[in-house]
């Protein structure tokens, strides 16, 4: 029986078969249509826990040379809308002398990517030579770079195929994708931000918990300390969604002036990262990170970091420039926000050109949106509910229409908690 037949018929693959299959995916001896058929079988039938462990291990280590530089603590988000936490966490954690080397990806679909956001800083380089990386980690203690092609190469092929075969939101496939990259990067401590809600791949708390538990178990099996923090994605994180517009919000947060929800979430994620990296209690770490955001240390580390990676220091003196057509949605009547279709707000930014429809689409760094409405709150007439920075008036109007459509009004309003659960 072939591997595709076995997974189609729910017959578990042995460890040897899984390694052989991933080997063939990496060396290109299996065509895309067969890999896609296997992905759909795995998506529909699931995989056993043992298969998921074997798949992750094979994806992590087939074709992945050991990394040359390893941070002490790594972080990964399952993907959301307005999720700019990595831009803040990397320098914030590094400001405690904890080395951070983070490999990040680009946005795809309705979710953004850290690399695209960083490239809105003129001059910023996401590719560093091994020598440049070594020097930067030694001198500055933080680097965020493009994921190297050698790191878990099976994931690059599988992820691209999943994106076009409707097989992304599968717990086994997401767990293997994320944990293979994390195991290949070899950091001894990992904080996972598992997003739950209308802007996330995991729409319910139950599914997010299942994914989080699985990823923690995979880490433990490899003697890696993993903490998974379940965070709410039923509304954009902060206000801004786009690239330069998110960098502006991240810079404000690093100077202590960020939106409350974003600041609170960053503090929680950072306190777990610092607690793992420095072996101190989460409470002590929380007090330290709060101080570093308030006294300028986090901002100072951010500027050192991005300038070391090529950004022009002059651009840090002001907000980054945004696209020229600025439109606003001002409320004409009272609005009680019961829910937000967060994915739709991600798609509004995508419509403006902030993201990609297909892998190699160019990204417009200057366009973006801000949605100021939060779930569970009531806003009066005259409130600025959203704004849009577009290249043209029709594009801006379309994005505003999508934002308006994403707001569900209702009587039974309830505020959401930002941090839902911590799994370790
Ligand atoms: N992020 C990843 O790296 N992989 C997935 O499958 C989903 C989110």
């Amino acid at each position: 029986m072939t591997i595709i037949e076995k997974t189609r018929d729910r017959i578990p693959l042995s460890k040897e078969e899984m390694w052989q299959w991933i080997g063939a995916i990496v060396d290109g001896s299996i065509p895309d249509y067969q890999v896609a058929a296997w992905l759909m079988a795995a998506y529909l039938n699931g995989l056993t826990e043992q298969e998921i462990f074997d798949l992750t291990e094979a994806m992590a280590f087939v074709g992945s040379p050991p990394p040359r530089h390893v941070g002490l603590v790594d972080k990964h988000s399952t993907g959301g809308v307005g999720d700019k936490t990595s831009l803040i966490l990397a320098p914030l954690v590094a400001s405690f002398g904890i080395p951070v080397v983070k490999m990040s990806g680009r946005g795809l679909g309705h979710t953004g990517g850290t690399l695209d956001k960083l490239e809105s800083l003129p001059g910023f380089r996401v590719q560093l030579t091994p020598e440049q990386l070594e020097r930067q980690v030694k001198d500055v203690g933080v680097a965020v770079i493009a994921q190297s092609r050698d790191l878990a190469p099976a994931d690059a092929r599988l992820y691209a195929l999943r994106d076009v075969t409707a097989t992304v939101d599968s717990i086994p496939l997401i767990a293997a994708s994320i944990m293979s990259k994390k195991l290949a990067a070899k950091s001894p401590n990992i904080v996972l931000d598992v997003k739950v809600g209308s802007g996330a791949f995991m729409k319910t708390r139950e599914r997010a918990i299942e994914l989080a538990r699985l990823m923690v178990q995979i880490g433990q099996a490899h003697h890696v300390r993993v903490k998974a923090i379940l965070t709410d994605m039923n509304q954009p994180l902060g206000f801004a969604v786009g690239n330069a517009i998110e960098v502006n919000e991240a810079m404000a947060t690093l100077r202590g002036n960020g939106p409350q929800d974003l600041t609170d979430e960053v503090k929680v994620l950072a306190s777990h990262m610092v607690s793992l990296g420095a072996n101190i209690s989460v409470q002590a770490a929380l007090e330290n990170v709060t101080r570093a955001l308030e006294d300028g240390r986090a901002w100072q580390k951010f500027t050192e970091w991005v300038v070391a990676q090529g950004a022009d220091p002059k651009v840090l003196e002001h907000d980054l420039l945004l696209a020229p057509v600025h439109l606003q949605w001002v409320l004409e009547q009272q609005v009680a926000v019961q829910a937000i279709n967060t994915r739709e707000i991600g798609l509004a930014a995508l419509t403006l050109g902030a993201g990609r429809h297909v892998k190699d689409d160019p990204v417009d760094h200057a366009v973006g949106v801000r949605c100021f409405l939060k779930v569970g709150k009531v806003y009066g007439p005259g409130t600025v509910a959203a704004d849009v920075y577009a290249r043209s008036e029709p594009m801006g109007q379309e994005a505003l229409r999508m934002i308006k459509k994403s707001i569900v009004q209702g009587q039974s309003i309830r505020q959401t908690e930002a941090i839902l659960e911590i799994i370790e």
Side-chain angles (χ1 to χ4, degrees):
M1 240 181 163
T2 67
I3 285 183
I4 302 174
E5 281 171 326
K6 283 192 166 174
T7 303
R8 180 197 65 191
D9 295 346
R10 294 198 169 87
I11 300 171
L13 301 182
S14 67
K15 187 177 176 113
E16 290 66 37
E17 284 171 323
M18 197 62 95
W19 277 72
Q20 185 198 333
W21 178 240
I22 294 303
I25 289 172
V26 171
D27 70 22
S29 56
I30 305 266
D32 277 355
Y33 52 83
Q34 286 186 319
V35 181
W38 181 81
L39 284 169
M40 187 54 83
Y43 180 93
L44 293 174
N45 291 338
L47 297 172
T48 66
E49 202 165 282
Q50 190 57 49
E51 283 183 296
I52 301 169
F53 276 54
D54 294 338
L55 172 65
T56 311
E57 202 173 280
M59 284 171 66
F61 301 121
V62 174
S64 273
R68 295 176 60 140
H69 289 284
V70 176
L72 192 54
V73 47
D74 201 352
K75 173 259 167 193
H76 195 93
S77 155
T78 57
V81 176
D83 181 3
K84 68 275 298 168
T85 56
S86 290
L87 306 179
I88 307 165
L89 289 167
L92 174 57
V93 172
S95 74
F96 295 95
I98 298 169
V100 177
V101 180
K102 180 158 167 49
M103 297 198 206
S104 286
R106 298 194 178 276
L108 205 55
H110 73 283
T111 65
T114 300
L115 293 185
D116 296 325
K117 294 171 200 180
L118 283 169
E119 280 177 344
S120 352
L121 289 161
F124 192 93
R125 291 187 305 263
V126 298
Q127 309 275 0
L128 296 181
T129 63
E131 294 70 33
Q132 287 169 329
L133 179 61
E134 181 168 357
R135 196 165 339 112
Q136 189 171 314
V137 176
K138 204 157 135 259
D139 295 349
V140 191
V142 49
V144 179
I145 53 171
Q147 197 170 295
S148 95
R149 284 183 166 271
D150 309 337
L151 185 97
D155 182 60
R157 189 158 175 220
L158 288 172
Y159 197 87
L161 283 172
R162 283 166 61 209
D163 195 49
V164 290
T165 55
T167 52
V168 171
D169 57 342
S170 142
I171 290 177
L173 298 179
I174 295 179
S177 165
I178 292 179
M179 289 309 291
S180 63
K181 286 177 289 209
K182 297 292 107 179
L183 295 180
K186 295 242 184 274
S187 176
N189 300 292
I190 301 168
V191 171
L192 298 171
D193 180 3
V194 180
K195 302 245 167 251
V196 192
S198 60
F201 292 122
M202 296 295 106
K203 306 283 182 237
T204 66
R205 193 160 166 160
E206 292 66 37
R207 276 175 64 75
I209 290 174
E210 193 183 330
L211 173 65
R213 289 218 172 103
L214 189 56
M215 293 195 290
V216 169
Q217 282 169 7
I218 294 171
Q220 282 166 349
H222 289 268
H223 310 290
V224 177
R225 292 202 294 176
V226 184
K227 280 193 185 190
I229 323 267
L230 259 64
T231 62
D232 180 63
M233 195 22 78
N234 281 306
Q235 54 195 342
L237 185 57
F239 306 127
V241 183
N243 294 297
I245 200 166
E246 288 197 37
V247 172
N248 287 343
E249 195 168 271
M251 293 198 295
T253 307
L254 281 155
R255 289 191 294 248
N257 301 320
Q260 197 60 50
D261 61 340
L262 174 62
T263 305
D264 291 347
E265 191 163 314
V266 157
K267 283 184 191 170
V268 172
L269 291 167
S271 61
H272 285 278
M273 290 172 75
V274 170
S275 154
L276 286 172
N279 264 319
I280 57 174
S281 72
V282 175
Q283 187 53 38
L286 180 61
E287 284 160 22
N288 290 338
V289 301
T290 303
R291 238 174 294 140
L293 284 170
E294 284 166 2
D295 67 15
R297 267 177 296 156
W299 169 249
Q300 174 64 30
K301 186 52 81 179
F302 174 83
T303 59
E304 275 175 43
W305 157 45
V306 297
V307 169
Q309 243 173 289
D312 177 353
K314 280 205 214 67
V315 303
L316 303 177
E317 290 165 14
H318 308 281
D319 275 355
L320 298 177
L321 279 182
L322 301 177
V325 179
H326 181 206
L327 306 179
Q328 282 190 328
W329 172 25
V330 182
L331 299 184
E332 284 165 16
Q333 302 156 353
Q334 177 175 290
V335 167
V337 184
Q338 186 170 308
I340 298 179
N341 183 352
T342 311
R343 183 169 183 273
E344 197 67 19
I345 298 191
L347 293 176
L350 186 68
T351 302
L352 292 170
R356 296 182 180 76
H357 292 282
V358 292
K359 202 165 147 263
D360 294 322
D361 273 354
V363 156
D364 187 340
H365 294 106
V367 297
V369 308
R370 273 190 292 245
C371 174
F372 298 104
L373 303 183
K374 293 287 171 189
V375 173
K377 295 218 165 141
V378 181
Y379 298 89
T383 306
V384 177
D387 61 5
V388 159
Y389 292 84
R391 290 288 169 195
S392 72
E393 171 97 20
M395 287 170 101
Q397 292 295 0
E398 173 59 11
L400 275 186
R401 189 192 62 75
M402 293 172 77
I403 296 172
K404 288 178 186 171
K405 203 176 97 195
S406 76
I407 305 297
V408 181
Q409 297 190 50
Q411 295 311 316
S412 62
I413 62 163
R414 209 160 50 89
Q415 293 197 12
T416 54
E417 290 163 78
I419 307 293
L420 304 170
E421 196 151 336
I422 296 173
I423 293 172
E424 50 192 303

